Amino acid sequence: MGVVVEQRITLPHPDLPSADWADSYCVRLDRNDLVPMEVASELIGRAPRWVGALLKIRNRIVGLFGLKSAELELTGQDKIGGFPVIDHDGERVLLGFDDKHLDFRIIVTVEPEGAARQHVSLTTLVNRHNLFGRIYILVVTPFHKLIVKTFLRRFAASKGLSHRSA
């Protein structure tokens, strides 16, 4: 199983300059053929059932407050795992949306490390607008960390052995 490492993230960040909360996790893989859009689709688009169950609970609760669900109905915009694709290039995919309690971005990055390895990271940036946004992040952070680490471990396992050193 892949070794997931927490990375330092510096704010402000160019992908959400107003962010006041962030985290980032990575895994290094003994591969050099990974493509960011495919990685993002596999990481976020194929969630385990228990993650889907948590999202259903989350959607019911936040719906009571008039907030957007994690399963957005958007037309004319690419989505991965229900999240709109804001931007992408040969190194990263930027997902996210803005809501009344917070704005968030998910960044999936694939970077080369030498000729035979790649570094895959999943970074989350959040700009909390109000007390509800702060409470929301406080409540969901333990679940968020578990989900992100699970996504990265599953991805690393599906792609073969990961490089052990961080």
Side-chain angles (χ1 to χ4, degrees):
M1 203 165 0
V3 176
V4 177
V5 177
E6 187 168 8
Q7 301 183 116
R8 183 175 175 201
I9 184 85
T10 303
L11 297 177
H13 192 280
D15 288 316
L16 188 60
S18 59
D20 58 4
W21 185 96
D23 70 2
S24 186
Y25 293 88
C26 70
V27 65
R28 290 182 167 104
L29 300 171
D30 292 329
R31 301 191 57 134
N32 64 0
D33 60 345
L34 300 173
V35 176
M37 281 295 277
E38 293 172 8
V39 171
S41 293
E42 193 166 331
L43 270 173
I44 298 168
R46 298 183 186 159
R49 287 185 198 180
W50 63 267
V51 171
L54 283 176
L55 283 175
K56 284 182 183 178
I57 293 167
R58 177 239 179 243
N59 290 343
R60 285 189 187 131
I61 293 169
V62 301
L64 299 173
F65 297 95
L67 303 176
K68 294 177 183 175
S69 77
E71 298 172 4
L72 301 172
E73 291 299 322
L74 300 173
T75 57
Q77 188 169 12
D78 290 336
K79 293 184 291 183
I80 296 176
F83 301 116
V85 176
I86 297 170
D87 191 23
H88 64 91
D89 58 30
E91 198 170 274
R92 72 185 183 102
V93 176
L94 178 64
L95 308 162
F97 62 83
D98 300 341
D99 207 344
K100 59 185 166 185
H101 70 305
L102 57 79
D103 303 337
F104 82 95
R105 302 293 182 267
I106 300 169
I107 308 159
V108 177
T109 307
V110 178
E111 298 174 293
E113 288 191 356
R117 286 193 202 106
Q118 286 176 302
H119 174 262
V120 174
S121 64
L122 202 151
T123 301
T124 306
L125 305 169
V126 178
N127 176 25
R128 301 169 292 178
H129 296 300
N130 51 39
L131 180 61
F132 185 76
R134 293 183 187 290
I135 292 169
Y136 177 84
I137 290 299
L138 180 70
V139 171
V140 303
T141 292
F143 301 103
H144 164 80
K145 289 179 183 280
L146 177 64
I147 291 168
V148 168
K149 290 176 183 178
T150 298
F151 281 2
L152 287 167
R153 280 188 197 107
R154 283 172 45 119
F155 180 77
S158 76
K159 298 301 177 193
L161 297 175
S162 68
H163 185 63
R164 291 273 173 203
S165 68

